[in-house]
């Protein structure tokens, strides 16, 4: 797998695994469905997704999914996705996507997780990170800004969704 975990003493990122399945399903709320997941999760699909993530870790694939944990707590508190080579033509760029479960929001944990994910991405050769957030997703935009990302542009996806792009050099 290459990386067992990354920590700053408060937050730990560990490769997402099947041990995280129940906590993820229990932690999902309307905000995660709206801004991150694109729809409600179910057990079978989430298990399949996590198994796929584990395979990508084993093969150093372009998508690495982390579970976010708080030091001293066993439970999963959210997830962090690091996707390599997501913006044409840059293979040395990563796209970060993150979400915390409701009871863990507002504590600065997502910002810490973003810093750790950037450290990981840089160690894997990435030179720039991207966070895409819908303009109405104020909490995600605040995390990007607190993490040193700067607004660069707005774009519209094929489905009509608008995204603000925030970049940070690694």
């Amino acid at each position: 797998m290459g990386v067992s975990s990354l920590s700053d003493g408060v937050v730990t990122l560990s490769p997402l695994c099947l041990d995280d399945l129940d906590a993820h399903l229990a932690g999902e709320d309307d905000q995660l469905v709206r801004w991150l997941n694109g729809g409600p999760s179910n057990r079978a699909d989430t298990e399949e997704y996590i198994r796929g993530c584990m395979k990508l870790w084993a093969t150093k694939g372009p998508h690495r999914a982390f579970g976010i944990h708080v030091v001293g707590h066993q439970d999963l508190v959210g997830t962090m996705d690091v996707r390599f080579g997501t913006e044409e033509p840059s293979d040395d760029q990563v796209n970060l996507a993150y979400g915390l479960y409701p009871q863990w929001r507002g504590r600065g944990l997502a910002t810490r997780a973003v810093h750790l994910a950037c450290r990981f991405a840089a160690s894997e050769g990435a030179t720039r990170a991207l966070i895409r957030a819908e303009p109405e997703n104020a909490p995600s935009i605040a995390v990007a800004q607190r993490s040193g990302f700067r607004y660069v542009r707005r774009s519209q996806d094929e489905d009509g969704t608008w995204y603000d792009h925030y970049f940070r050099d690694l």
Side-chain angles (χ1 to χ4, degrees):
M1 208 174 273
V3 170
S4 58
S5 67
L6 302 164
S7 184
D8 66 0
V10 175
V11 168
T12 299
L13 298 183
S14 301
L16 198 61
C17 67
L18 290 174
D19 290 345
D20 297 322
L21 177 62
D22 290 331
H24 176 71
L25 291 170
E28 184 179 77
D29 70 340
D30 291 343
Q31 294 296 314
L32 285 175
V33 169
R34 164 76 171 95
W35 302 118
L36 187 64
N37 299 348
S41 296
N42 65 59
R43 185 170 197 79
D45 289 345
T46 303
E47 182 175 339
E48 181 180 340
Y49 169 76
I50 291 173
R51 286 185 189 282
C53 290
M54 292 168 64
K55 287 179 185 173
L56 288 167
W57 271 105
T59 61
K60 292 189 81 168
H63 172 212
R64 316 282 177 79
F66 288 97
I68 303 171
H69 300 268
V70 173
V71 173
H73 293 273
Q74 195 69 10
D75 293 336
L76 183 73
V77 303
T79 61
M80 168 65 70
D81 286 357
V82 179
R83 295 182 185 263
F84 291 85
T86 57
E87 291 282 314
E88 295 292 332
S90 179
D91 288 334
D92 62 346
Q93 180 171 291
V94 296
N95 183 14
L96 304 181
Y98 42 84
L100 292 175
Y101 306 132
Q103 65 272 31
W104 296 99
R105 294 180 188 143
R107 301 180 190 197
L109 302 175
T111 301
R112 288 176 172 277
V114 167
H115 285 300
L116 289 169
C118 286
R119 189 170 84 195
F120 166 74
S123 76
E124 294 287 309
T127 61
R128 189 162 99 152
L130 161 70
I131 292 174
R132 291 179 353 132
E134 291 181 48
E136 300 82 20
N137 189 348
S140 188
I141 291 168
V143 168
Q145 293 170 334
R146 281 192 308 268
S147 301
F149 285 71
R150 69 188 189 308
Y151 174 83
V152 174
R153 65 184 171 96
R154 181 171 285 177
S155 70
Q156 189 174 26
D157 272 4
E158 294 173 4
D159 69 0
T161 304
W162 287 96
Y163 288 97
D164 287 345
H165 295 239
Y166 294 82
F167 288 96
R168 174 177 152 184
D169 291 330
L170 303 177

